[in-house]
């Protein structure tokens, strides 16, 4: 990585060649060098911050605190954290990504190709999984050891995909899965199957008939699946549950604690939970339905309105899909969100009651996006083509800089920064310090008794240093100087 001094020196050479300026300029943010749209360098030593941008949003090299970011948008975005020695990379997000730290290394492409390496205290305890889903999977299981799957030829997979074991040969010709000691055998999956082990037994000739049972625990069967199914579960508990379905005409569930039935599921039905004193009616779901009980109260007459209170949460629709309100409040946290026409307008508020902090996100598609973070920093960006329905840090980093033509940031102390067209015009204010530029016409920096104004990057330059004033032309170090008493004299800057 090029050091800051070398980078700044190179920028000054370029700037001198283009504009004749021979020094970096001091602003409220520190040193700033601009050759729009080629180069933009900004530094704030007090905050441990510096940023180099090339060709507008295309290239970025930034250091802030313990984080160093490098981007060649939209191809790659990388963030390194010197504190926890971690690195996060996005490659043409959301196509691929990688993460690395002392404990884990990951890489994935579209969630189909992936590799995961988990390191423990000693290197010999490292665990690794490689995947080209679904064709190649390999890894190491703590319990079963190494495994490899090459679909459809041969495979063994352990502790993945909701099963303890998978085994197959020439899939779907033969396969076997294991879950909690129950073996499920398959021949020409899914047509022929059998179940054995841990007290369970059964067989399947799909879709004609199938049955599975374990004495004192469960039993199930189907005939012409999915048209008729039945099951009994929890036989050894205080709440054995029986289910019968004649799809799509009718289904019924009965148990000591709850009952339900549906006609033309899911449109018409009734659910009763005696254990929770809860009842639900469906009259042409999702348009007409109701629910009541100690933990929930709901009524829907769509598209006119829908209200649903469940525990600490509340949802409300009015003139669906025009207006939706959601809120959730607990002892320590509160969340509210209002939406118009799904994602046309969204306003989301969060607050942490014990800490006394909050944040907010408001977006009007496709016009603007507004955010306030818990530290009170506010950001307004224009336009906002995806932020109202797809707000993610990865999009903010890799894609949003291309379409955010106007960005403004400000805090509760009155400090602010504005950028238009990737700093063709920029404005910064911090306390008594002020700086702005409309490249290459005018540039101004000032604070208290100091000010510096330039026209055409110094073709005409006027400075005031505590009452001592200077006017110079054609980027020359020589100029006309005078003091507050208007005593003119020629001299060198």
């Amino acid at each position: 990585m090029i050091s800051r001094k070398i980078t700044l020196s190179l920028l000054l050479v370029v700037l001198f060649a283009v504009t004749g300026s021979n020094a970096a300029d001091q602003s409220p943010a520190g040193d700033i060098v601009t050759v729009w749209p080629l180069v933009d360098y900004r530094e704030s030593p007090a905050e441990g911050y510096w940023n180099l941008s090339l060709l507008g949003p295309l290239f970025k090299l930034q250091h802030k605190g313990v984080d160093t970011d490098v981007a060649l948008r939209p191809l790659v975005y990388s963030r390194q954290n010197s504190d926890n020695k971690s690195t996060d990379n996005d490659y043409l997000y959301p196509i691929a990504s990688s993460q690395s730290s002392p404990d884990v290394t990951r890489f994935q492409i579209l969630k189909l190709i992936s590799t995961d390496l988990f390191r423990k205290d000693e290197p010999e305890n490292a665990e690794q999984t490689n995947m080209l889903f679904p064709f190649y999977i390999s890894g190491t299981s703590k319990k079963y050891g190494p495994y490899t799957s090459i679909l459809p030829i041969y495979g063994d997979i352990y502790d993945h995909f909701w099963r303890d074991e998978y085994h197959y040969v020439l899939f779907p010709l033969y396969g076997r899965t294991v879950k909690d000691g129950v073996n499920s055998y398959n021949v020409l999956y899914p047509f022929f199957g059998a179940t054995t082990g841990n007290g369970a037994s059964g067989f399947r000739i799909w879709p004609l008939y199938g049955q599975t049972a374990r004495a004192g625990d469960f039993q199930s069967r189907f005939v012409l699946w999915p048209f008729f199914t039945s099951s009994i579960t929890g036989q050894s508990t205080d709440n054995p549950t029986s289910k019968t379905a004649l799809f799509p005409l009718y289904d019924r569930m009965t148990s000591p604690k709850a009952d339900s039935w549906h006609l033309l599921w899911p449109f018409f039905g009734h659910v009763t939970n005696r254990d929770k004193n809860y009842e639900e009616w469906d009259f042409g779901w999702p348009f007409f339905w109701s629910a009541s009980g100690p933990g929930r109260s709901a009524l829907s007459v769509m598209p006119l309105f829908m209200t649903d209170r469940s525990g600490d949460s509340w949802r409300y629709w009015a003139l669906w899909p025009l207006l939706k309100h959601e809120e959730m409040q607990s002892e320590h946290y509160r969340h509210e969100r209002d939406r118009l026409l799904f994602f046309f307008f969204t306003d989301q508020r969060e607050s942490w009651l014990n800490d006394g902090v909050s944040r907010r996100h408001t977006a009007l598609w496709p016009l603007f996006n507004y955010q306030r973070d818990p530290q009170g920093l506010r950001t307004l960006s224009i336009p906002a083509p995806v932020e109202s329905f797809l707000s993610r840090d990865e999009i903010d980093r890799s894609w949003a800089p291309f379409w955010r033509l106007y960005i403004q940031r400000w805090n509760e102390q009155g400090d602010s920064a504005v950028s238009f067209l990737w700093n063709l015009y920029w404005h910064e204010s911090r306390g008594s310090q002020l700086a702005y530029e409309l490249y290459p016409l005018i540039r101004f920096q000032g604070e208290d008794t100091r000010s510096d104004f330039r026209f055409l990057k110094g073709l005409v330059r006027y400075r005031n240093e505590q009452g001592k004033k200077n006017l110079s032309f054609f980027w020359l170090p020589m100029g006309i100087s005078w003091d507050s008493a208007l005593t003119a004299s020629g001299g060198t800057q």
Side-chain angles (χ1 to χ4, degrees):
M1 184 181 297
I2 302 175
S3 68
R4 283 188 295 168
K5 292 184 178 179
I6 296 177
T7 301
L8 186 56
S9 299
L10 292 174
L11 290 173
L12 293 177
V13 171
V14 173
L15 185 61
F16 179 80
V18 175
T19 67
S21 176
N22 64 352
D25 299 319
Q26 195 72 26
S27 81
D31 290 332
I32 294 182
V33 179
T34 60
V35 185
W36 189 90
L38 302 178
V39 177
D40 190 289
Y41 178 85
R42 296 167 187 268
E43 183 182 57
S44 179
E47 298 179 353
Y49 166 86
W50 57 269
N51 180 88
L52 168 66
S53 297
L54 304 177
L55 296 175
L58 285 178
F59 177 82
K60 171 182 177 178
L61 175 60
Q62 175 183 286
H63 178 80
K64 184 176 183 180
V66 297
D67 292 325
T68 299
D69 294 14
V70 181
L72 181 59
R73 297 186 177 102
L75 298 179
V76 61
Y77 195 104
S78 176
R79 170 167 294 175
Q80 298 179 358
N81 186 295
S82 60
D83 190 16
N84 56 27
K85 296 180 175 57
S86 65
T87 302
D88 292 320
N89 304 303
D90 294 317
Y91 309 100
L92 201 61
Y93 178 84
I95 300 299
S97 65
S98 66
Q99 300 85 37
S100 66
S101 69
D103 296 327
V104 62
T105 298
R106 290 190 175 99
F107 174 78
Q108 65 83 25
I109 300 177
L110 290 176
K111 305 299 182 180
L112 300 178
I113 302 174
S114 66
T115 178
D116 297 275
L117 175 63
F118 299 92
R119 290 177 290 270
K120 305 302 180 183
D121 294 334
E122 295 84 17
E124 57 270 16
N125 291 329
E127 302 174 16
Q128 184 167 355
T129 301
N130 301 297
M131 186 181 303
L132 175 56
F133 187 83
F135 305 105
Y136 175 79
I137 302 173
S138 69
T140 302
S141 166
K142 289 183 179 179
K143 182 177 181 180
Y144 302 100
Y147 59 86
T148 301
S149 168
I150 305 176
L151 191 72
I153 300 173
Y154 174 86
D156 299 302
I157 304 175
Y158 301 112
D159 299 324
H160 266 292
F161 312 119
W162 310 284
R163 292 291 186 271
D164 300 328
E165 304 177 40
Y166 285 86
H167 308 277
Y168 67 86
V169 177
L170 297 177
F171 181 84
L173 180 61
Y174 170 79
R176 178 172 68 93
T177 66
V178 181
K179 177 67 174 178
D180 297 330
V182 178
N183 290 266
S184 298
Y185 297 88
N186 296 280
V187 177
L188 290 176
Y189 178 84
F191 299 104
F192 305 99
T195 300
T196 63
N198 200 17
S201 63
F203 69 93
R204 176 183 72 248
I205 305 175
W206 187 86
L208 301 179
Y209 181 83
Q211 66 178 43
T212 306
R214 180 159 59 194
D217 189 6
F218 69 88
Q219 64 182 56
S220 65
R221 71 179 61 196
F222 70 82
V223 179
L224 295 177
W225 187 93
F227 300 107
F228 175 80
T229 60
S230 67
S231 67
I232 300 176
T233 58
Q235 291 178 311
S236 60
T237 69
D238 62 351
N239 189 47
T241 302
S242 174
K243 297 180 181 180
T244 303
L246 187 62
F247 184 82
L249 301 178
Y250 173 81
D251 75 73
R252 182 170 182 80
M253 183 274 291
T254 60
S255 72
K257 296 183 180 181
D259 296 303
S260 71
W261 60 262
H262 288 89
L263 297 176
L264 296 176
W265 181 90
F267 301 109
F268 304 96
H270 178 241
V271 177
T272 301
N273 190 313
R274 289 177 289 275
D275 190 44
K276 298 181 179 180
N277 194 24
Y278 171 81
E279 187 174 29
E280 180 178 326
W281 286 95
D282 295 315
F283 304 97
W285 184 93
F287 300 103
F288 306 100
W289 61 275
S290 67
S292 61
R296 187 181 184 190
S297 175
L299 177 63
S300 173
V301 186
M302 300 291 278
L304 297 180
F305 75 90
M306 186 276 289
T307 179
D308 186 354
R309 291 187 179 273
S310 179
D312 297 328
S313 302
W314 179 46
R315 295 184 301 150
Y316 177 81
W317 278 105
L319 298 177
W320 183 91
L322 180 60
L323 171 65
K324 184 179 183 181
H325 174 80
E326 301 170 279
E327 68 177 62
M328 189 276 286
Q329 181 168 354
S330 64
E331 182 180 356
H332 308 292
Y333 174 75
R334 180 179 178 87
H335 175 271
E336 294 181 275
R337 184 177 185 183
D338 294 302
R339 289 191 287 173
L340 293 176
L341 293 173
F342 294 111
F343 62 81
F344 179 73
F345 173 81
T346 180
D347 184 20
Q348 182 172 269
R349 290 91 65 194
E350 295 178 276
S351 56
W352 290 263
L353 306 180
N354 289 350
D355 299 329
V357 297
S358 63
R359 66 182 177 187
R360 186 170 189 171
H361 176 211
T362 305
L364 177 62
W365 181 86
L367 299 181
F368 74 84
N369 182 65
Y370 167 82
Q371 291 180 299
R372 186 191 70 230
D373 68 15
Q375 289 71 45
L377 178 64
R378 296 160 170 84
T379 303
L380 173 67
S381 58
I382 301 173
V386 304
E387 285 84 345
S388 60
F389 59 90
L390 193 60
S391 179
R392 296 183 63 88
D393 292 339
E394 295 86 350
I395 293 177
D396 287 346
R397 296 195 300 253
S398 296
W399 292 100
F402 287 106
W403 62 69
R404 289 180 176 172
L405 305 182
Y406 175 87
I407 302 177
Q408 180 177 359
R409 294 184 176 91
W410 67 100
N411 60 25
E412 297 175 348
Q413 291 73 41
D415 304 330
S416 66
V418 173
S419 173
F420 176 68
L421 279 180
W422 310 291
N423 288 334
L424 173 65
Y425 170 78
W426 58 268
H427 177 116
E428 295 183 6
S429 175
R430 181 175 302 167
S432 62
Q433 301 172 317
L434 173 65
Y436 58 84
E437 178 179 25
L438 177 60
Y439 189 91
L441 296 178
I442 60 173
R443 180 164 183 165
F444 174 84
Q445 299 114 276
E447 60 176 309
D448 297 329
T449 59
R450 174 184 177 273
S451 62
D452 187 343
F453 176 84
R454 302 184 189 192
F455 176 71
L456 290 178
K457 300 297 285 186
L459 177 66
V460 178
R461 183 178 186 183
Y462 170 79
R463 286 166 291 173
N464 186 343
E465 295 275 358
Q466 296 181 343
K468 296 181 180 180
K469 303 173 183 179
N470 180 273
L471 181 64
S472 59
F473 304 89
F474 302 107
W475 307 285
L476 295 175
M478 307 289 291
I480 303 172
S481 300
W482 68 96
D483 57 22
S484 300
L486 299 180
T487 302
S489 62
T492 302
Q493 179 181 346

